[in-house]
Amino acid sequence: TSHRRAMRAVIALCLCIHLLEASLLPNTTGIEGELTAKLGVDHFFSLWIVFNNDEVSMSDKPFTILAPRNNASLFIPQDKLKSHPEAIKKLLLDHVVLGQKLDLDIGADLSFTTLGGRTVNVRNKQAGALVANGAQVTNPKVDVTNGRLIILDNYLFPDDLTEDHSFLQDMTEVLSFLQSGVRVFQRLLARSNVTKLLRQDEVYTVFVPTDRAFQRWHPIDWGFYPFSVPEFTDKILTNHFVNANIRQDQIRDGQTFKMLGGLDVVFQNKSTGLTINGVELVKGDTPVAKGNIMFVSEVLFVNDSVVQQLHDKNRDKETPPLLPFPWFGAQFLSHAFLALERTPKFSHITRFLNVADLMPHISGAGYTFFRTN
């Protein structure tokens, strides 16, 4: 169909742009071989010769390289440089962040996009351990000229070099090229436990809501966002996957499927278009090796009644209004400051907060402020 051709053209264009951006590499000339050997990451850096025959430019921007140790569970032999050069390049770029020196010591969970377009989620575990996409962070900060190394015990995306890709791998790769329109789904999926349910050898179809579909449920400035409740998010996302390879031209009017989370969907195939549970399906398939990707205009199984019931049970998830004062870019600090300022016995700490330049360091959310009398 024309839509399918257009979708393929978009993916191809995104891929071209992605490859052009990938030709800009961090300037690693300040990283000495003696240092990488001492850190036990010299094998990882030896793989960078795969770019030697490419037309690449060195960027002067700051960078972060997440470097797996030599004893990582995935060992990449040198012959892979010749047999799978593009896969090696992509794997390396997915361990680079260009434009910033990441600070994992901020004490909050962190998500960022690599030079290869993949999402990395860093989480704080028990006893202060940091985990990035399943790989443990063994050293969060090794500063080098114009950059920083973060040492890992394994690769971030070790499955990328396997011969037999899963549906999850192919879906993630396709969505990474289209992330400007499905970024919310990608972010929520990466933070959920849904991907653990997808088996390597099974086929699936996923119905991906667009960013605009999620935006409908986002409070304008403050209020309740249903996808701030992890259990609810897991349940909803799981029910956007079905263990079958469904194609739009084969769907019958009234046909039903049971989703991975146990809920049922009903398709309506009318002259006006194709719908799933009354939600419009974007016309056209995006097939991958072990399934299919379709896009929907609304989030399935979410309506005003469902959100209201969820809100009643999760009042603690309400977000406060945005404060223009004293630090618009640091909402947590602003709310903490105003709350403490109302109590005279905290006058000293509020005075210190007022003069300390903390905003660049505590600009996000997810913090806890320990106060003493």
Side-chain angles (χ1 to χ4, degrees), residues 1-14 178 248 282-287 295:
T1 65
S2 59
H3 178 82
R4 187 183 301 177
R5 289 194 297 270
M7 181 66 74
R8 288 174 178 169
V10 169
I11 293 175
L13 176 60
C14 292
L178 304 173
Q248 290 191 6
V282 176
K283 188 176 181 180
D285 297 309
T286 306
F295 299 91

Side-chain angles (χ1 to χ4, degrees), residues 198-212:
L198 304 179
R199 298 181 179 179
Q200 175 85 13
D201 55 347
E202 296 284 343
V203 297
Y204 298 94
T205 297
V206 60
F207 301 91
V208 180
T210 62
D211 286 349
R212 182 167 294 184

Side-chain angles (χ1 to χ4, degrees), residues 4 9 20 63 75 146 194 196 229 272 315 328 361:
R4 187 183 301 177
L20 286 172
F63 62 86
F75 180 78
N146 202 37
V194 177
K196 297 178 181 178
V229 182
T272 54
R315 292 288 181 181
F328 180 77
H361 308 286

Side-chain angles (χ1 to χ4, degrees), residues 104-105 107 122-131 136-140:
L104 302 190
D105 292 330
V122 179
R123 298 289 179 260
N124 279 278
K125 299 297 183 180
Q126 292 181 348
L130 292 171
V131 175
Q136 186 167 340
V137 178
T138 60
N139 191 334

